[in-house]
Amino acid sequence: MSPRVSEIDQEHVWHPYASVPAAETPHVVREASGTRLRLETSDGVRHDAVDAMSSWWSAIHGYRHPVLDEAARNQLDRFSHVMFGGLTHEPAARLAESLVAVTPDPLQRVFFADSGSVSVEVALKMCLQYWRSRGYPEKRRILTWRGGYHGDTFHAMTVCDPEGGMHALWDGTLPRQVFADAPPADHGSVPDPGYVSHLTELIREHADELAAVIVEPVVQGAGGMRFHHPEYLRALRAATERHGLLLVFDEIATGFGRTGEMFAAEHAGVAPDVMCVGKALTGGYISLAATLCTAEVADGIASGDVPVLAHGPTFMGNPLACAVAEASLGLLESGEWRTSVSRIEDGLRAGLEPARGIPGVRDVRTLGAIGVVQLDRNVDMRAATMAALEEGVWLRPFGELIYAMPPYVCDSADVARITDGMVAAARASLGER
Ligand code: PMP
C-alpha cells in the first residue's frame, strides 16, 4: 500500500519548501506511538524509528498518549467544532484560564489562533493597533534581530532573517522592518556588553517609528539553532520600557519546557507584553496556537476608534484542540517534565561528545531537550537521514545542522539511540562511513 501512497503524494501534495511533483520521495508513516514512528521507505523497507524531532518541537508527550487521546475522544463525543462568533465553550474558556496561570503574570488576555504563523500575525497586529488606538499611527515598524524565524505568512516573514531565501524572494512587497545583528551565540558564557549597546542604541534611534520588538527568547530555532545569553532579553526589556515600546516573545518553539524552563523567557526573569505559543501547546496533536497579551494592550486597542482586534479565523479556539491542550498542560502540571528534560539534556550532552572529534564538525551544543551538531558544510540530507534511520532514529537536518528535540517521554535508551543516530548522520554526511 505504502509505495502507492508515496507516489500519489509525490505527484499531488505540496510539502514544506518543495515543488510538485516533488524531487524527494517522502517516507510513509503507518503508525506513531510513544516515541516511535513506524515508517516505510518507498522501496518498502519498514523502520521503527525514535522521532528525534517530536514533529518539530511539538510532540512533547510522544504520540498516542492515553491522556491526550482520551481528552480528544471525550470532546469528540460532545462536539468537534463550533465557530466562536456569539458562542463560546468550556474547552476554550478553561484553556485560556490555564494559559494565563502558566505564563508570566502580566499576560492576561488570550487570542486563539490556528497556527504559529497566525499567532505572530495577530501579535504584530495587536502592537500596531495598540499604537494606532493610542493616537500614534506612525509607530508601525517592528525591530527584530537577524537570524530569526517567526513563520511564513506575509507579516511574519517581514521579521524573519532578511538574508534568508524567503525574504529576498519577496523583496519590494514586504514592509521593511528594523534589524539588529543576531545575538552572539554565547549561552552559558558571559554576555557581550558591545551587543547590549548595539541593541539599546538601535532601539533609541528608531523608537519614534517602532511599535514593538519581537524575538525568539534564548533559542533562535529555524534560523540556525543558536542559543544566546538571557542577558540580551533583559536588555531588550529595559530598552523597550525606557522608550515605551511593546516587547513580543515568540515562544512557539521554546514554550512548554523545551529549554529547561516552562518558557524560555524565564531564563532571563523577564515578561513580555505579548507572547506567542503554539506547537507543543496541544502536545503536537492538533493545530492550535495562541497570542497572549497584557490587559494594558487589550485595553489600549479597545480605547481606539476601531475598538476591536481586526482578526477572527473560522477555527479559532477549536474545542478538540483546546481540550487536548488543556490535557497537555495538565500533564505538565506535576513538574515531572523538568526531571525528564534535564535527564535528556545530560544524555544529549554525553552522547554527542564523540561528534566533537569528527573532522568537519564545527560545533556541538545542547540546551534543555535540544541537541545540535553543526558541520562546516551543508549536510548531505539523504546520506544523513538514511544513516540515522539505520540506527533507528528519525532526523531531519537542515543547512549545516543535524539536530534533535526529542519527546520528553524518551528514556535513556531512546536518547542514546538518538545521539548514536546523530553521530552516524554526521559521519555519513561527511563521507566518513
Ligand atoms: N515561530 C517560531 C519560533 C517557529 O519555530 C515557528 C515554526 N517553526 C513559527 C513561528 C511558525 O509556526 P507554524 O509553523 O505553526 O505556523
Side-chain angles (χ1 to χ4, degrees):
M1 173 193 92
S2 292
R4 177 87 183 115
V5 170
S6 70
E7 277 162 32
I8 299 169
D9 181 285
Q10 205 173 8
E11 190 177 343
H12 296 292
V13 181
W14 225 306
H15 281 251
Y17 299 94
S19 50
V20 201
E24 181 185 3
T25 315
H27 312 308
V28 179
V29 176
R30 300 169 67 91
E31 263 178 58
S33 71
T35 62
R36 302 305 160 97
L37 297 178
R38 304 221 159 77
L39 55 87
E40 194 172 312
T41 55
S42 57
D43 47 10
V45 180
R46 296 189 180 187
H47 294 267
D48 184 15
V50 177
D51 182 7
M53 311 305 291
S54 297
S55 285
W56 273 262
W57 315 89
S58 302
I60 54 175
H61 310 294
Y63 299 100
R64 297 201 55 199
H65 192 288
V67 172
L68 303 190
D69 281 8
E70 195 192 343
R73 258 189 233 110
N74 285 345
Q75 185 54 39
L76 202 52
D77 285 344
R78 296 189 176 92
F79 53 95
S80 56
H81 188 66
V82 291
M83 195 178 152
F84 251 9
L87 301 171
T88 192
H89 46 76
E90 186 172 355
R94 293 240 178 270
L95 178 60
E97 191 179 46
S98 301
L99 277 173
V100 166
V102 81
T103 52
D105 278 347
L107 301 169
Q108 295 288 320
R109 310 284 186 255
V110 183
F111 186 102
F112 287 116
D114 27 23
S115 72
S117 302
V118 171
S119 79
V120 170
E121 294 291 322
V122 169
L124 299 180
K125 266 192 179 176
M126 277 178 179
C127 296
L128 267 61
Q129 215 180 321
Y130 170 81
W131 288 113
R132 186 185 175 280
S133 294
R134 294 197 45 198
Y136 299 91
E138 69 283 6
K139 286 171 78 63
R140 53 172 181 241
R141 290 185 81 191
I142 310 289
L143 184 142
T144 186
W145 44 39
R146 291 172 191 276
Y149 177 79
H150 298 282
D152 291 341
T153 49
F154 263 76
H155 225 86
M157 275 199 295
T158 68
V159 286
C160 291
D161 186 45
E163 261 83 61
M166 291 176 293
H167 227 266
L169 189 63
W170 301 107
D171 219 17
T173 61
L174 301 178
R176 271 189 323 105
Q177 309 293 18
V178 180
F179 287 92
D181 293 343
D186 56 8
H187 192 274
S189 62
V190 282
D192 174 0
Y195 184 69
V196 171
S197 315
H198 164 67
L199 277 182
T200 316
E201 185 49 31
L202 203 61
I203 289 173
R204 192 197 57 73
E205 193 185 317
H206 291 275
D208 291 349
E209 54 173 350
L210 286 176
V213 173
I214 183 170
V215 295
E216 291 158 273
V218 181
V219 178
Q220 287 190 298
M225 303 296 287
R226 290 155 48 90
F227 310 147
H228 55 256
H229 203 285
E231 184 57 32
Y232 306 132
L233 303 174
R234 288 191 278 271
L236 282 179
R237 183 68 281 183
T240 48
E241 263 166 20
R242 194 172 318 123
H243 296 286
L245 308 183
L246 299 173
L247 181 60
V248 185
F249 284 161
D250 176 347
E251 293 258 13
I252 291 165
T254 48
F256 307 107
R258 179 59 64 182
T259 65
E261 295 290 352
M262 188 64 165
F263 294 99
E266 291 169 30
H267 290 278
V270 295
D273 304 293
V274 178
M275 185 164 123
C276 302
V277 292
K279 288 186 182 281
L281 170 60
T282 61
Y285 263 50
I286 313 180
S287 183
L288 181 71
T291 314
L292 289 100
C293 72
T294 60
E296 196 205 323
V297 170
D299 293 349
I301 291 169
S303 70
D305 58 334
V306 181
V308 295
L309 182 69
H311 209 95
T314 306
F315 289 103
M316 70 188 292
N318 171 261
L320 279 175
C322 290
V324 174
E326 178 70 359
S328 174
L329 286 181
L331 288 174
L332 295 174
E333 208 173 286
S334 73
E336 264 174 56
W337 62 268
R338 281 186 189 277
T339 321
S340 311
V341 167
S342 139
R343 183 179 37 75
I344 292 170
E345 179 169 16
D346 292 345
L348 289 173
R349 190 175 301 122
L352 291 179
E353 209 42 45
R356 290 188 190 277
I358 303 174
V361 169
R362 175 182 291 166
D363 189 36
V364 175
R365 49 190 182 270
T366 51
L367 174 69
I370 311 169
V372 183
V373 176
Q374 182 162 6
L375 308 187
D376 64 2
R377 68 201 78 162
N378 276 347
V379 175
D380 177 338
M381 184 75 134
R382 194 177 152 71
T385 48
M386 290 316 291
L389 265 187
E390 277 163 29
E391 297 284 337
V393 181
W394 173 241
L395 290 174
R396 182 77 174 164
F398 77 81
E400 301 172 348
L401 305 168
I402 295 167
Y403 60 104
M405 59 286 259
Y408 305 164
V409 290
C410 277
D411 62 18
S412 301
D414 288 331
V415 178
R417 219 206 255 203
I418 289 170
T419 54
D420 287 351
M422 291 171 77
V423 172
R427 284 194 199 286
S429 184
L430 294 163
E432 255 211 27
R433 279 167 79 82

